[in-house]
Amino acid sequence: MTSDDQLQQVRERINAIDADLLRLISERAACAQAVAKIKDAHGESVKYYRPEREAEILRRIKAENPGPLDGEEVARLFREIMSACLALEKPLKVGYLGPQGTFTQAAALKHFGHSVHAQPFGAISDIFREVEAGACDYGVVPVENSTEGVVNHTLDMFMRSPLLIAGEVTLRIHHHLLSNAKDLGAVRRVYSHQQSLAQCRGWLDRYLPNAERVAVGTNADAAKRAAAAEDAAAVASEAAAELYALRVLAQRIEDEPGNTTRFLVIGSEDSPPSGHDKTSMLLSCRNEAGGLHRLLTPFAKQGLSMTRIESRPSRQGVWDYVFFVDVCGHRQSPEVEAALVELKGAANLCKVLGSYPEAVL
Amino acid sequence: MTSDDQLQQVRERINAIDADLLRLISERAACAQAVAKIKDAHGESVKYYRPEREAEILRRIKAENPGPLDGEEVARLFREIMSACLALEKPLKVGYLGPQGTFTQAAALKHFGHSVHAQPFGAISDIFREVEAGACDYGVVPVENSTEGVVNHTLDMFMRSPLLIAGEVTLRIHHHLLSNAKDLGAVRRVYSHQQSLAQCRGWLDRYLPNAERVAVGTNADAAKRAAAAEDAAAVASEAAAELYALRVLAQRIEDEPGNTTRFLVIGSEDSPPSGHDKTSMLLSCRNEAGGLHRLLTPFAKQGLSMTRIESRPSRQGVWDYVFFVDVCGHRQSPEVEAALVELKGAANLCKVLGSYPEAVL
């Protein structure tokens, strides 16, 4: 067979696959409409977006993926298919911390797909307000940034908002070496946030052993300083390279590929159990010896693993500190339920911020 | 049957559809790998990205779409599936006019899908340079903006670049009424680019008949002015609302829904025929009576419809004006070929900038 004949054969197979895909995607969308109709007919309060069911589907797709596409890529395609089907029932309105082009926008689209109506807002408090007022169905706000630490404003908002956490999104962040210099040989100083410098230590030791490392407030600030010099570089994002017209001397120089930043999806309800969930809560106790230890005992007793703890000064004047705690497990699970009962006794404040599926993608 | 049973039945059908979709998408990706292997084995120059074939597929999908999803939405899903399959063979590197969050980034992702490596650049000339140097496979640049007119810098670059046009992308742009005012009753003036004011005339006549309309340079400038007043509004984009913290008093106020902006995909080659193509060219003649008319005669004779003509002062000093002309048809079609032969006689300059599929999405 000539290569043309072979190619022709494969292309005909692709065309046949496309026809099947079109039929199946259309049938799936019709099923989504059928679900809405059944719910309507029975007068149920119709909740179209089901985070726990979407998480289950994405996890199954990743587990059963035969390749050659990688699991994340296939899950991303299903995320878009589900997003399109959901928009047919009711297009979700999602507010995010703008402007456009930020990581938070990317997180909102990664979580909800591109068929939602995503709207940028200028402040985290605006997003809470819009969701509280029902003008947005959900909001997406940053909560952890591995380079710039916790986004405190988001945590503070939870102290006074009735909103719950309905999901989490993680994004992988890459670090690049940016400079005006033509090559590594000309770089005498490297600016970055100290956490970014730490995350790229292995690479810097190997390729820039003699350059001075200077820790600055943010990676954007580092890029700005590098832009003003001929013999300096910054460890920062691709966006910073573009903003400050810096050359990318080396890409993805982080030692560990798992450098991520985390966002929360906020809404008026949290999510039913999906099988792999987290529960976030706000705890407080008086600032006395052993106070925090006592606070955490119920988790240990129930064998619950804590994925994060963060302390914040309380603004309420009554307690000295509040703690944001994430544990693995849904609040409806017996272990978390038992721990919460015990906590109500031990803590001055115990506010469950929500249970939600662990980030799948 | 209870509603729970009915729902269970539909959900089981969705799960079965998802399993089929996963199998088909994976098989499609394996086919893409097979294509690459056949080409490699026969020592052909391997061109992975085939704009004409992608356009054909998307057109067929839209034509055969049975619903309930609309044609654009289904085509968008196939765009993402093709993008993922293509990335498996060779991830395309696409440069676009940054920063992130601009319409040009949206255009690049709409055309190539989200599996490409899209990189922002600060200037149109940078993108031409990167693609010329082979550092990017393709570039995406704005060329027509229905609100701010032609992007002249892009046209000027074509005068001296050897690059060709491999595709076009159109984006629908919506206008909103933005203001500090609480409601329409408080709006005394409306700022915008005159083209935007014209595009929203019907709405403005109806809802703001007594407000003064003030034409300004750009819609962003209009938003800035509205932000500085209590009794003014701007017709501008959602992004401008966020940037200047303005209230969106009314959404999508354009009279015609077809308000679009256009981008070009540039590369080292143009595209083979796809069945519905355009050809762009740069023409020039001496500035004498009837000159332009003579220049356009060959198109009329061949029955070719012209979709755009734009004049620009020549920077070369030899001719007074150059014209950018788009016609329907591929340069390999007999009609376009005949017109080009005739043009070579009539024009001082006749440079074909490329033939490419008409925008499908």
Side-chain angles (χ1 to χ4, degrees):
Chain A
M1 216 191 300
T2 67
S3 72
D4 276 355
D5 288 342
Q6 288 178 311
L7 284 176
Q8 191 51 35
Q9 224 171 45
V10 180
R11 293 219 169 97
E12 276 165 21
R13 180 65 199 129
I14 290 177
N15 289 349
I17 290 172
D18 284 346
D20 285 343
L21 283 172
L22 177 60
R23 183 178 50 73
L24 287 165
I25 289 171
S26 301
E27 200 194 327
R28 197 189 195 287
C31 284
Q33 287 183 316
V35 168
K37 216 169 151 190
I38 294 167
K39 286 183 176 175
D40 270 343
H42 289 75
E44 287 177 42
S45 86
V46 188
K47 221 187 136 221
Y48 294 110
Y49 176 64
R50 297 274 307 273
E52 81 287 8
R53 182 152 159 82
E54 295 211 340
E56 275 170 43
I57 292 174
L58 293 177
R59 276 199 290 261
R60 191 173 55 235
I61 293 298
K62 280 179 85 170
E64 291 174 2
N65 174 39
L69 293 171
D70 77 23
E72 292 235 346
E73 191 75 341
V74 174
R76 195 180 64 74
L77 294 174
F78 272 83
R79 144 68 47 239
E80 292 299 330
I81 292 170
M82 290 193 288
S83 181
C85 292
L86 181 66
L88 205 55
E89 300 177 61
K90 181 198 164 210
L92 285 183
K93 210 173 155 196
V94 177
Y96 66 89
L97 184 66
Q100 296 188 348
T102 53
F103 285 128
T104 314
Q105 183 189 30
L109 296 175
K110 183 178 180 188
H111 191 78
F112 288 101
H114 285 72
S115 300
V116 294
H117 180 68
Q119 195 179 343
F121 289 93
I124 288 172
S125 54
D126 291 346
I127 298 166
F128 274 81
R129 195 194 56 224
E130 294 287 313
V131 179
E132 284 174 23
C136 285
D137 298 298
Y138 292 95
V140 178
V141 291
V143 67
E144 259 175 69
N145 180 319
S146 54
T147 305
E148 275 140 48
V150 175
V151 180
N152 291 327
H153 194 46
T154 296
L155 296 185
D156 291 345
M157 285 302 301
F158 278 116
M159 294 195 206
R160 46 197 160 106
S161 172
L163 294 181
L164 293 170
I165 302 173
E168 64 167 355
V169 197
T170 56
L171 285 185
R172 227 170 265 137
I173 307 292
H174 297 294
H175 290 319
H176 308 300
L177 191 78
L178 316 179
S179 179
N180 284 322
K182 285 222 167 52
D183 52 50
L184 293 180
V187 175
R188 302 267 163 272
R189 260 163 308 128
V190 180
Y191 295 108
S192 198
H193 185 275
Q194 64 177 26
Q195 202 165 342
S196 303
L197 289 174
Q199 284 164 351
C200 303
R201 185 180 298 130
W203 191 94
L204 293 170
D205 284 349
R206 183 161 173 197
Y207 294 100
L208 286 172
N210 300 317
E212 184 194 359
R213 295 174 203 175
V214 186
V216 296
T218 67
N219 289 356
D221 187 30
K224 204 169 158 188
R225 285 166 194 245
E230 287 309 312
D231 61 348
V235 174
S237 70
E238 203 161 40
E242 198 270 327
L243 196 60
Y244 294 101
L246 289 163
R247 195 172 274 125
V248 179
L249 286 188
Q251 286 193 311
R252 303 193 174 191
I253 62 170
E254 63 272 10
D255 300 330
E256 310 247 332
N259 186 20
T260 61
T261 185
R262 185 166 169 257
F263 305 82
L264 294 177
V265 179
I266 54 172
S268 53
E269 290 176 42
D270 62 347
S271 166
S274 78
H276 293 271
D277 302 281
K278 281 186 185 175
T279 298
S280 293
M281 60 202 90
L282 201 60
L283 303 175
S284 184
C285 60
R286 290 204 178 275
N287 189 11
E288 53 189 25
L292 177 61
H293 181 259
R294 265 196 302 281
L295 212 53
L296 302 183
T297 306
F299 301 119
K301 259 171 70 180
Q302 297 297 331
L304 291 168
S305 85
M306 216 183 298
T307 58
R308 197 172 68 102
I309 179 164
E310 202 72 52
S311 66
R312 291 281 302 147
S314 161
R315 299 262 172 99
Q316 316 260 353
V318 184
W319 307 290
D320 294 319
Y321 282 94
V322 292
F323 299 95
F324 288 89
V325 176
D326 292 352
V327 296
C328 286
H330 196 278
R331 63 182 161 75
Q332 291 175 17
S333 76
E335 297 79 16
V336 177
E337 219 165 358
L340 286 171
V341 167
E342 210 173 320
L343 270 169
K344 304 247 159 172
N348 295 66
L349 168 75
C350 172
K351 181 182 179 190
V352 176
L353 301 178
S355 290
Y356 48 89
E358 279 178 30
V360 182
L361 287 178
Chain B
M1 215 187 308
T2 69
S3 74
D4 274 355
D5 288 345
Q6 288 178 314
L7 285 175
Q8 190 52 33
Q9 223 173 45
V10 180
R11 292 221 171 97
E12 273 164 22
R13 180 66 199 130
I14 290 178
N15 289 348
I17 290 172
D18 284 347
D20 284 345
L21 283 172
L22 177 61
R23 184 179 49 74
L24 286 164
I25 290 171
S26 300
E27 200 195 329
R28 194 187 199 287
C31 283
Q33 288 183 316
V35 168
K37 215 168 149 189
I38 293 167
K39 286 182 176 175
D40 269 343
H42 288 78
E44 287 176 40
S45 85
V46 187
K47 224 187 134 219
Y48 294 109
Y49 175 63
R50 296 274 307 274
E52 80 288 7
R53 181 150 162 82
E54 296 211 340
E56 275 170 43
I57 292 173
L58 293 178
R59 278 198 290 261
R60 190 172 56 234
I61 293 298
K62 279 180 85 170
E64 293 174 3
N65 173 39
L69 292 173
D70 78 21
E72 291 234 350
E73 191 76 340
V74 173
R76 195 180 65 74
L77 294 174
F78 272 83
R79 146 66 50 236
E80 292 298 331
I81 292 170
M82 291 194 288
S83 181
C85 292
L86 181 65
L88 206 54
E89 300 179 59
K90 182 197 164 215
L92 285 182
K93 210 173 153 194
V94 177
Y96 66 89
L97 185 66
Q100 295 188 349
T102 54
F103 286 129
T104 314
Q105 183 190 30
L109 295 176
K110 182 178 181 189
H111 190 78
F112 288 100
H114 285 72
S115 301
V116 295
H117 180 69
Q119 195 179 343
F121 290 93
I124 288 173
S125 54
D126 290 347
I127 298 165
F128 274 81
R129 194 195 57 224
E130 293 288 312
V131 179
E132 285 174 22
C136 286
D137 298 299
Y138 293 95
V140 178
V141 291
V143 68
E144 260 175 68
N145 179 318
S146 54
T147 305
E148 274 139 49
V150 175
V151 180
N152 292 327
H153 193 47
T154 296
L155 296 184
D156 291 345
M157 284 304 300
F158 278 117
M159 294 196 205
R160 45 198 161 105
S161 172
L163 294 182
L164 293 169
I165 302 172
E168 65 168 355
V169 197
T170 56
L171 286 186
R172 227 170 264 138
I173 306 291
H174 297 293
H175 290 319
H176 307 300
L177 191 78
L178 316 180
S179 178
N180 283 322
K182 284 223 169 50
D183 51 50
L184 293 179
V187 175
R188 302 267 163 273
R189 260 162 307 128
V190 180
Y191 295 108
S192 200
H193 186 275
Q194 64 176 26
Q195 202 166 340
S196 302
L197 288 174
Q199 284 163 350
C200 303
R201 184 179 299 129
W203 191 93
L204 292 170
D205 284 349
R206 184 160 174 197
Y207 295 99
L208 287 172
N210 300 318
E212 183 193 2
R213 294 174 205 176
V214 186
V216 295
T218 66
N219 289 355
D221 188 29
K224 204 170 156 186
R225 284 167 196 245
E230 286 308 311
D231 60 350
V235 174
S237 70
E238 203 161 42
E242 196 270 329
L243 197 58
Y244 294 101
L246 289 163
R247 196 173 273 126
V248 180
L249 287 188
Q251 284 193 311
R252 302 193 175 191
I253 62 170
E254 63 273 8
D255 300 329
E256 310 247 331
N259 185 19
T260 60
T261 183
R262 184 167 169 257
F263 304 83
L264 294 176
V265 179
I266 54 172
S268 53
E269 290 176 41
D270 62 349
S271 168
S274 77
H276 293 270
D277 301 282
K278 280 186 184 175
T279 298
S280 293
M281 61 201 91
L282 201 59
L283 302 175
S284 182
C285 62
R286 287 201 180 278
N287 189 11
E288 54 189 24
L292 178 60
H293 182 257
R294 266 197 301 282
L295 211 53
L296 302 184
T297 307
F299 300 120
K301 259 172 70 179
Q302 297 296 331
L304 291 168
S305 84
M306 215 180 304
T307 56
R308 196 174 68 103
I309 178 163
E310 203 70 52
S311 67
R312 290 282 300 146
S314 161
R315 300 263 171 99
Q316 316 260 351
V318 184
W319 306 291
D320 295 319
Y321 282 94
V322 291
F323 299 95
F324 288 87
V325 176
D326 292 352
V327 296
C328 285
H330 196 278
R331 64 182 162 73
Q332 291 175 18
S333 76
E335 297 79 15
V336 178
E337 218 165 1
L340 285 172
V341 167
E342 210 173 319
L343 270 169
K344 305 249 161 172
N348 296 65
L349 166 75
C350 171
K351 183 184 178 188
V352 176
L353 300 179
S355 292
Y356 48 88
E358 279 177 28
V360 181
L361 288 178

